[in-house]
Amino acid sequence: MSGDTALVLGGGGLTGIGWECGILYGLARAGVDLTTADLVVGTSAGSVVGAQLTSGRLSPQELYERQLGDASGEAVAKLGAGVIARYALAMARSRRDAAAYRRRVGAMALVADTGPEAERRKVLAARLVSHEWPERRLVVTAVDALSGELEAFDRESGSGLVDAVAASCAVPGVWPPVTVGARRFIDGGVRSAANADLAAGHARVVIIAPIALGSGLVPAPAAQAARLREAGAKVLLITPSATARKAFGRNLLDPGRRDPAARAGLAQAAEHAADAAAVWSDGKA
């Protein structure tokens, strides 16, 4: 095995950010400190959480507390029915070719009227407490809008952290693709809600995935977790409870739902504390 512990933080909008922070704080209160991970993989919402968690500037409690309170001053976005329909059409036309699906979604994103890229980058820059890559290994996922290929940004990739996180959070049809170098990127969740396969080679893996579902062309976190187990890793997959899903509401991009989602994550964490300790410790699961 090439590493010991890996923490995978999946995508799921602003409610996903809140819920993940609640889970992380709840587990920390129960004695399971996931900030010690040798590798953190962040996709979309998870890239925001991962960047802040590995910055060394916020404890799990502080990260959680940042999700609470009035969010009325923040812009509300929405993944509308028209955009969802274009995703479905791209999937139907791609048949069994996952890369073709990602290219079609990328093409849609490149022509969508989603506002200035620079303005969106400012939003993500303000959301992060540090704009420097951390010492601890952080991998941020995005998808090349033209080729459909996965890009795993890290401190060795030559890109800035803000650019990488902005690219990972560029929901097609909602936010503009992000330019990094000579290429443009869209949300890493287009490939997978968690991209947990990037934790391959690590002995102990915890996956926190706000979006549990997948499709034939977008593997579900559970499928990726199963493959990691087959390779010999101890793996815990945490997905939202029914109570948490209710707290999310119908719009994952609504900042007003981040607070209740965070509180739901904190409450749910108790259900997973023993399993998380068994995976994260050196003992047997």
Side-chain angles (χ1 to χ4, degrees):
M1 296 256 177
S2 62
D4 193 13
T5 55
L7 170 63
V8 177
L9 300 167
L14 293 176
T15 58
I17 291 176
W19 177 77
E20 287 182 344
C21 292
I23 290 286
L24 289 167
Y25 177 40
L27 292 178
R29 288 204 312 187
V32 186
D33 182 10
L34 300 184
T35 67
T36 63
D38 297 307
L39 167 69
V40 176
V41 177
T43 293
S44 199
S47 73
V48 176
V49 178
Q52 297 193 80
L53 193 70
T54 57
S55 71
R57 299 187 181 185
L58 293 173
S59 68
Q61 179 177 353
E62 291 169 326
L63 187 56
Y64 167 75
E65 290 174 349
R66 281 169 60 92
Q67 313 310 310
L68 308 181
D70 183 18
S72 59
E74 298 185 45
V76 179
K78 186 176 183 180
L79 193 64
V83 175
I84 294 173
R86 288 194 284 276
Y87 287 172
L89 181 60
M91 188 164 290
R93 288 180 173 175
S94 301
R95 299 181 184 273
R96 298 182 180 180
D97 189 337
Y101 165 69
R102 296 192 293 269
R103 289 193 295 270
R104 285 190 167 94
V105 172
M108 178 269 287
L110 288 170
V111 300
D113 183 9
T114 50
E117 179 184 336
E119 291 302 313
R120 178 59 180 164
R121 188 186 185 281
K122 289 180 182 178
V123 172
L124 272 301
R127 197 168 285 167
L128 302 182
V129 295
S130 172
H131 294 175
E132 303 298 324
W133 285 98
E135 291 298 321
R136 193 174 300 279
R137 186 163 186 239
L138 170 68
V139 170
V140 172
T141 69
V143 169
D144 186 303
L146 290 178
S147 70
E149 295 178 354
L150 172 71
E151 183 71 22
F153 293 107
D154 62 17
R155 64 181 302 162
E156 307 299 327
S157 63
S159 62
L161 178 61
V162 174
D163 287 336
V165 172
S168 190
C169 294
V171 180
V174 177
W175 305 119
V178 171
T179 304
V180 182
R183 301 160 68 192
R184 300 192 76 192
F185 293 91
I186 57 175
D187 197 306
V190 174
R191 180 191 183 252
S192 163
N195 291 296
D197 56 318
L198 296 185
H202 288 73
R204 296 173 281 149
V205 182
V206 172
I207 305 168
I208 304 177
I211 296 176
L213 300 178
S215 71
L217 301 182
V218 182
Q224 293 183 326
R227 292 189 184 95
L228 291 172
R229 292 189 188 100
E230 290 169 1
K234 294 198 294 184
V235 181
L236 173 63
L237 170 62
I238 302 176
T239 58
S241 64
T243 300
R245 292 195 300 272
K246 185 176 180 180
F248 289 1
R250 295 185 177 182
N251 183 9
L252 302 183
L253 302 177
D254 181 358
R257 305 305 301 176
R258 189 174 53 216
D259 181 314
R263 296 179 190 276
L266 179 61
Q268 184 184 341
E271 304 171 17
H272 306 287
D275 289 338
V279 167
W280 214 242
S281 70
D282 291 325
K284 295 182 179 180

